[in-house]
């Protein structure tokens, strides 16, 4: 599979700029985990998933569940850039009356397949969607994105067990392995490693990649689609705050809006104009 | 302008003081210590603070085990993930065996603001009140938070303390006597009684001031303890004033309004009007905008009193 790396990198930069603009305009939100997930989301929506912004609810579509719902600005950015709604609408994030709720709201936002925000629940819903594909003999695939801190929720492992028990090979989950959560490093708060061995023990196919390298993301997704009888985990090593120098690897940027000056610097570092 | 402090900040400050007084206090959190304000305790007593990670159900189960090994446990996370996510563990491992666990849940209600519906818990008072033996407390300001928490810490048994994110005006001075299970007469009045909890107490006091100028005298009761409920204060209000208006930053289903109405229906039938969230989910917005949208302002309380007053003339 050949990918247009240039196109994807340009799109990912746009998505990152959209993330910064949204969170700055809202005055609150989660930049760190949105930026770490930006490349994975860009790849899925612009190189992989069979979806149609003109017909968001088409039955045999691929689906995406943002289990780490606080990265909503990243999802909203790709949906807007993909054409589900106008890019200008992004600036209404988190404002009273906006469809762009602080966490994904499937009732109101075209293209959002599941309402999330309470960690651990999205992956269960993704398992349900993958199961429905099996029941219906649908060709659609289900993608989900989890945080590494999110893996501490017991519900994630209940979902992991069910996905392999039912042999859901149409389910591919990514873990955004940025090593940080709110109170600090994963291993200081509650050790989650080894993530790969845990999922293997739960019956999943596991690949480890660099979550900011489009060639590696592409190869992993292609390989995942060939796996039969098992769900697949793509454990993607990422940098929290990726692309903005002062946010990278800083737990303090988990849930804080940049000031005007900081937003300007961030957008410029990402190659945009303020 | 009165001083402002959030009840979660008052909780964090009090926890540090309690930690010095009682070496058996253990604090648990679920990756939100800088938001729930347990971070201060962690810094002061690192050996007695344990981060459960993003695993609220396990945190509540561990809290029960620690409690049955002689510890006084304070377990904190957002109200949604305490009362909501971990409900059945609280019910069966803390409530049923009557564990000495103080569930101090912050970011309750719609004034969480921009995070939106997934994080705005307007059901927790209902969920916690229905558990037998659970004491349920929802303080109005920083002063009452500290005074009530000291009594909560001394009590042997499960307690749910509902705390807010938003900085709110200090209503009471340090000298005010505040007793768990006893409503505070925050303002005397003779025509109607507003029974409020949490940040709605301050709104009720403002409404009473406005109404005073219109010739309507309003009593304000701070019902900081929803369970056990101060039934006598409710009966007095029902008999001494014309009607009762409840005010809470919570669903009107299963919260303060419902609890007051059930006492009134049983003991002293009187009109009860309810200001609260009307069977709706929350949404993103600024806390002050949301208070207007969900009709939780002093003006909304005043309107409810005026309507009751007009009806009863
Ligand atoms: C059930 C639940 N508990 C707590 C929270 C609050 N919370 C939001 S994000 C977060 C940390 C998430 O860390 P991680 O999964 O590593 O996300 P990332 O680093 O990718 O942002 C927490 C504790 C929540 N949203 N849901
Ligand atoms: Mg993380």
């Amino acid at each position: 599979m050949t990918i247009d790396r240039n196109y994807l990198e340009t799109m990912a930069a746009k998505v990152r700029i959209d993330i910064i603009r949204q969170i700055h305009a809202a005055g609150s939100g989660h930049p760190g985990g949105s930026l770490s997930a930006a490349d994975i989301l860009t790849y899925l929506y612009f190189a992989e998933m069979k979806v149609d912004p003109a017909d968001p609810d088409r039955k045999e579509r691929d689906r995406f569940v943002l289990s780490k719902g606080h990265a909503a600005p990243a999802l909203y950015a790709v949906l807007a850039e993909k054409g589900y709604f106008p890019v200008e609408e992004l600036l209404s994030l988190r404002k009273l009356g906006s469809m762009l709720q602080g966490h994904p709201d499937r009732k109101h936002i075209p293209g959002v397949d599941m309402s999330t925000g309470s960690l651990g629940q999205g992956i269960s819903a993704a398992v349900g969607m993958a199961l429905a594909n099996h029941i219906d003999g649908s060709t659609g695939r289900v993608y989900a994105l989890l945080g590494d801190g999110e893996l501490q929720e017991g519900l994630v492992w209940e979902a992991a067990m069910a996905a392999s028990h039912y042999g859901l090979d149409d389910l591919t989950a990514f873990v955004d392995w940025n090593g940080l959560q709110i109170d600090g490093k994963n291993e200081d708060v509650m050790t989650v490693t080894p993530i790969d061995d845990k999922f293997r023990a739960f019956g999943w196919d596991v690949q480890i990649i660099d979550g900011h390298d489009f060639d590696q993301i592409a190869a992993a997704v292609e390989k995942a689609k060939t796996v039969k009888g098992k769900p697949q985990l793509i454990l993607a090593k990422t940098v929290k705050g990726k692309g903005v120098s002062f946010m990278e690897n800083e737990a303090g940027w988990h849930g804080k809006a940049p000031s005007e000056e900081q937003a300007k610097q961030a957008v410029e570092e990402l190659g945009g104009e303020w | 302008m009165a001083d402002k402090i959030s009840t979660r900040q008052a909780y964090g400050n009090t926890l540090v003081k309690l930690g010095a007084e009682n070496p058996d206090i253990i604090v648990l959190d679920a990756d939100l210590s800088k938001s729930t304000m347990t971070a201060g305790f962690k810094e002061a007593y690192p050996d007695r603070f344990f981060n459960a990670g993003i695993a609220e159900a396990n945190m509540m189960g561990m809290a029960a085990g620690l409690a049955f090994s002689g510890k006084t446990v304070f377990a904190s996370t957002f109200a949604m993930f305490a009362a909501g996510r971990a409900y059945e563990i609280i019910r069966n491992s803390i409530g049923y065996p009557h564990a000495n666990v103080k569930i101090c849940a912050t970011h309750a209600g719609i004034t969480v603001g921009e995070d939106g519906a997934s994080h705005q818990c307007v059901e927790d008072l209902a969920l916690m009140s229905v558990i037998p033996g659970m004491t349920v407390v929802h303080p109005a300001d920083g002063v009452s938070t500290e005074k009530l928490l000291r009594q909560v810490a001394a009590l042997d048994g499960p307690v749910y303390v509902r705390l807010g994110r938003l900085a709110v005006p200090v209503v009471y001075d340090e000298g005010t006597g505040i007793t768990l299970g006893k409503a505070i007469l925050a303002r005397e009045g003779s025509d109607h009684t507003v029974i409020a909890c949490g940040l709605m107490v301050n709104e009720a006091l403002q409404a009473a001031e406005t109404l005073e100028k219109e010739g309507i005298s309003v009593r304000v009761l701070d019902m900081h303890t929803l369970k056990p409920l101060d039934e006598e204060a409710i009966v007095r209000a029902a008999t001494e004033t014309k009607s009762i208006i409840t005010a809470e930053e919570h669903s009107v289903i299963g919260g303060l309004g419902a609890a007051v109405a059930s006492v009134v229906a049983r003991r002293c039938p009187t009109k009860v009007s309810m200001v609260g969230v009307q069977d709706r989910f929350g949404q993103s917005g600024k806390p002050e905008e949301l208070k207007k949208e969900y009709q939780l302002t002093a003006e909304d309380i005043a309107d409810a009193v005026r309507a009751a007053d007009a009806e009863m003339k």
Side-chain angles (χ1 to χ4, degrees):
Chain A
M1 150 117 189
T2 52
I3 57 159
D4 187 342
R5 229 189 128 113
N6 238 338
Y7 167 72
L8 289 172
E9 275 165 9
T10 309
M11 186 56 73
K14 265 198 215 176
V15 165
R16 286 198 165 87
I17 291 167
D18 290 340
I19 289 168
I20 298 297
R21 288 193 196 282
Q22 285 176 83
I23 298 173
H24 171 66
S28 67
H30 300 87
S34 296
L35 293 168
S36 65
D39 297 312
I40 295 163
L41 278 163
T42 300
Y43 183 80
L44 287 175
Y45 279 88
F46 290 92
E48 178 57 36
M49 284 169 57
K50 288 186 234 30
V51 291
D52 180 4
D55 185 10
D57 298 326
R58 204 186 65 205
K59 197 151 188 299
E60 296 237 331
R61 71 184 186 281
D62 289 345
R63 293 174 188 238
F64 175 73
V65 177
L66 183 65
S67 200
K68 43 167 278 188
H70 57 281
L75 178 59
Y76 299 164
V78 290
L79 291 176
E81 296 290 351
K82 184 84 183 168
Y84 282 90
F85 50 84
V87 174
E88 302 77 68
E89 199 156 342
L90 291 174
L91 296 184
S92 72
L93 175 73
R94 293 177 159 245
K95 301 217 158 103
L96 185 68
S98 167
M99 75 170 180
L100 299 179
Q101 294 292 299
H103 293 80
D105 171 12
R106 85 175 305 288
K107 279 202 308 280
H108 297 111
I109 311 172
V112 170
D113 286 314
M114 187 60 200
S115 301
T116 52
S118 180
L119 295 169
Q121 300 191 27
I123 187 64
S124 287
V127 169
M129 290 171 186
L131 184 58
N133 284 345
H134 273 229
I135 296 166
D136 295 343
S138 165
T139 57
R141 294 187 60 80
V142 180
Y143 294 92
L145 178 66
L146 294 146
D148 46 11
E150 183 181 9
L151 300 180
Q152 293 156 358
E153 285 288 354
L155 186 51
V156 169
W157 303 100
E158 298 176 27
M161 187 157 43
S164 81
H165 177 78
Y166 296 122
L168 301 180
D169 49 18
D170 55 335
L171 175 66
T172 306
F174 286 85
V175 168
D176 186 348
W177 192 12
N178 57 32
L180 296 175
Q181 48 196 103
I182 296 181
D183 280 344
K185 294 183 186 151
N186 299 148
E187 67 258 33
D188 292 337
V189 176
M190 180 58 61
T191 305
V192 293
T193 50
I195 300 171
D196 52 346
D197 287 346
K198 281 196 180 78
F199 273 92
R200 262 187 221 109
F202 274 74
W204 288 54
D205 179 80
V206 176
Q207 303 178 69
I208 302 180
I209 63 163
D210 175 345
H212 301 304
D213 179 332
F214 284 110
D215 291 320
Q216 293 193 33
I217 300 172
V221 170
E222 286 308 309
K223 156 129 198 289
K225 288 191 286 185
T226 67
V227 173
K228 293 279 167 265
K230 284 180 172 193
Q232 315 91 41
L233 182 81
I234 300 177
L235 179 51
K237 193 80 205 73
T238 56
V239 173
K240 201 156 175 168
K242 174 76 177 176
V244 177
S245 59
F246 57 91
M247 292 185 180
E248 288 193 358
N249 289 315
E250 288 291 336
W253 281 102
H254 171 83
K256 186 169 74 176
S259 67
E260 169 121 22
E261 201 176 312
Q262 291 166 329
K264 177 174 185 289
Q265 183 186 335
V267 167
E268 285 169 1
E269 283 183 19
L270 292 163
E273 271 178 45
W274 183 244
Chain B
M1 190 79 191
D3 282 351
K4 283 189 168 191
I5 179 174
S6 64
T7 53
R8 63 174 164 137
Q9 181 67 62
Y11 163 59
N13 298 348
T14 306
L15 212 45
V16 175
K17 297 184 199 168
L18 289 173
E21 296 162 20
N22 180 354
D24 284 330
I25 288 180
I26 300 287
V27 175
L28 304 181
D29 204 297
D31 195 31
L32 288 168
S33 68
K34 296 185 192 91
S35 298
T36 61
M37 301 298 173
T38 61
F41 185 95
K42 176 189 175 177
E43 204 171 300
Y45 316 102
D47 298 347
R48 290 192 274 143
F49 174 91
F50 296 89
N51 207 322
I54 312 170
E56 298 80 6
N58 184 53
M59 176 171 76
M60 295 304 175
M62 289 199 304
L66 285 160
F68 289 120
S69 306
K71 308 300 179 192
T72 297
V73 187
F74 283 75
S76 285
T77 177
F78 292 174
M80 184 60 79
F81 311 127
R85 183 55 156 270
Y87 178 72
E88 197 256 353
I89 293 93
I90 294 174
R91 193 269 191 195
N92 272 331
S93 290
I94 294 175
Y96 178 42
H98 207 69
N100 191 23
V101 175
K102 320 306 177 191
I103 302 156
C104 295
T106 67
H107 294 65
I110 58 144
T111 53
V112 162
E114 290 85 350
D115 272 350
S118 60
H119 287 56
Q120 290 162 320
C121 197
V122 295
E123 308 91 0
D124 51 332
L125 294 176
L127 287 164
M128 292 296 114
S129 294
V130 80
I131 298 173
M134 180 70 75
T135 296
V136 179
V137 184
H138 184 21
D141 76 344
V143 170
S144 56
T145 297
E146 170 156 2
K147 288 180 184 285
L148 289 164
L149 276 167
R150 290 187 166 280
Q151 298 167 56
V152 161
L155 199 79
D156 185 17
V159 183
Y160 181 78
V161 183
R162 185 186 211 231
L163 303 162
R165 168 183 179 225
L166 204 64
V168 291
V170 173
V171 176
Y172 304 110
D173 40 68
E174 289 294 342
T176 314
I178 298 176
T179 308
L180 199 65
K182 290 274 167 269
I184 304 169
L185 178 62
R187 181 181 173 115
E188 190 47 284
S190 52
D191 292 329
H192 300 271
T193 302
V194 177
I195 303 182
C197 58
L199 56 74
M200 296 304 282
V201 172
N202 183 55
E203 301 292 331
L205 289 168
Q206 285 178 36
E209 200 146 305
T210 307
L211 292 165
E212 183 82 70
K213 293 177 195 131
E214 297 172 19
I216 303 175
S217 166
V218 174
R219 176 184 301 182
V220 177
L221 292 181
D222 174 351
M223 198 61 78
H224 49 75
T225 307
L226 278 91
K227 198 183 171 190
L229 194 60
D230 186 352
E231 292 204 8
E232 300 317 314
I234 297 170
V235 170
R236 277 196 301 278
T239 48
E240 293 167 10
T241 66
K242 285 185 274 187
S243 87
I244 290 174
I245 297 88
T246 59
E248 62 197 303
E249 190 199 3
H250 183 275
S251 173
V252 293
I253 302 173
L256 176 67
V260 168
S262 96
V263 171
V264 169
R266 210 167 5 91
R267 295 189 53 185
C268 44
T270 309
K271 181 179 169 60
V272 177
S273 320
M274 297 182 195
V275 173
V277 177
Q278 305 290 330
D279 200 18
R280 282 171 80 187
F281 286 107
Q283 61 181 304
S284 293
K286 293 201 174 71
E288 291 305 325
E289 294 172 341
L290 290 168
K291 275 163 72 182
K292 287 205 177 75
E293 170 67 26
Y294 287 80
Q295 300 183 309
L296 300 174
T297 66
E299 202 41 41
D300 296 305
I301 296 172
D303 281 346
V305 175
R306 288 183 195 111
D309 195 63
E311 201 180 299
M312 307 196 70
K313 272 221 161 98

